[in-house]
Amino acid sequence: MLAMRGDAKSLVQGDRFSKGIRLPQNGDWDDLILCDAHEKQIGRGDDYAVRLLRRAPDAPMIMDGRATLLANPEPDLLVHFIYGTVWRHVVSGLRRGEPLHLGPYKDELLSRLLNNGPYDFQTMVARSGMMLRELGPIDMALNPYRVKMMQRWAWRFALNGFEFYLFTARGKLPDIWKEYVANDNRALIAANGHGVDIRAMPSLRPIIDLMSGS
């Protein structure tokens, strides 16, 4: 989060369970769930994801502007980042409100993170289409949460103008989505999201209302 913050003095952070906004410098951090060695191992894809997203503004548009083509020379590192972000958030004690669970996938994801694979849970990356009607597109970071997509459950989070999806369900995604899967994909296609006012999104409206103090 520090690297993503850039030159700004702080991050603007909302929470589903408390009113107003917070202005942390580096985002949430939980130093109780992992030792230093395991934190380095689980977070080894973080720097790679930062570099990939920083190059994104120069990435070419394809499919008549419906997608962005991202150079992804080490796809395992990007998938490792997605796995690690979801795992750390779900098991962290910093959350408030309703509990999150990975169920049987908690240990399976941890094993893959500590053993550098296999990266067989499929992932996808999309360019965010979140906006506020009066401001236009906005760059909003979202902690991982569950969302239903393509008739199956996924973990979704957003960072630096992109959305990341982790599908823990068994079985491959439909063939029509094959070219968007991040696993083993060095020429990553990120679908460009349609402009959707975040206040019209049921999963985000509670956060926006609380940030505004309503």
Side-chain angles (χ1 to χ4, degrees), residues 35-200:
C35 67
D36 185 61
H38 282 166
E39 172 57 36
K40 289 179 179 177
Q41 178 63 19
I42 287 180
R44 76 183 188 90
D46 295 358
D47 287 342
Y48 178 80
V50 169
R51 294 194 301 271
L52 184 147
L53 294 182
R54 282 181 170 174
R55 295 194 303 268
D58 299 322
M61 298 288 183
I62 59 174
M63 299 179 177
D64 296 325
R66 299 193 306 274
T68 301
L69 182 62
L70 298 172
N72 183 32
E74 298 184 72
D76 280 358
L77 279 179
L78 179 60
V79 177
H80 192 99
F81 161 74
I82 297 172
Y83 286 14
T85 300
V86 172
W87 189 89
R88 285 181 292 192
H89 179 70
V90 174
V91 303
S92 172
L94 295 176
R95 293 176 288 101
R96 298 179 292 277
E98 77 268 14
L100 299 175
H101 300 287
L102 279 166
Y105 304 115
K106 176 182 175 182
D107 292 339
E108 291 189 52
L109 279 175
L110 179 60
S111 175
R112 286 154 174 74
L113 289 164
L114 295 180
N115 294 289
N116 300 328
Y119 298 105
D120 49 355
F121 293 122
Q122 291 189 299
T123 61
M124 291 177 60
V125 180
R127 200 150 202 167
S128 177
M130 291 185 290
M131 61 172 291
L132 285 171
R133 185 174 57 256
E134 63 272 23
L135 298 178
I138 62 170
D139 182 3
M140 183 177 182
L142 295 172
N143 286 329
Y145 65 98
R146 291 187 75 207
V147 61
K148 201 157 192 179
M149 184 178 179
M150 294 179 286
Q151 303 304 311
R152 64 192 69 199
W153 286 101
W155 289 92
R156 172 187 185 235
F157 64 94
L159 189 65
N160 210 48
F162 283 82
E163 299 172 8
F164 301 83
Y165 296 86
L166 165 61
F167 297 88
T168 50
R170 301 299 182 189
K172 302 298 184 181
L173 294 172
D175 287 344
I176 193 174
W177 292 98
K178 182 177 180 180
E179 60 188 343
Y180 297 99
V181 173
N183 307 58
D184 300 317
N185 197 342
R186 289 176 171 79
L188 180 61
I189 297 177
N192 293 334
H194 303 293
V196 178
D197 193 298
I198 55 179
R199 288 164 296 200

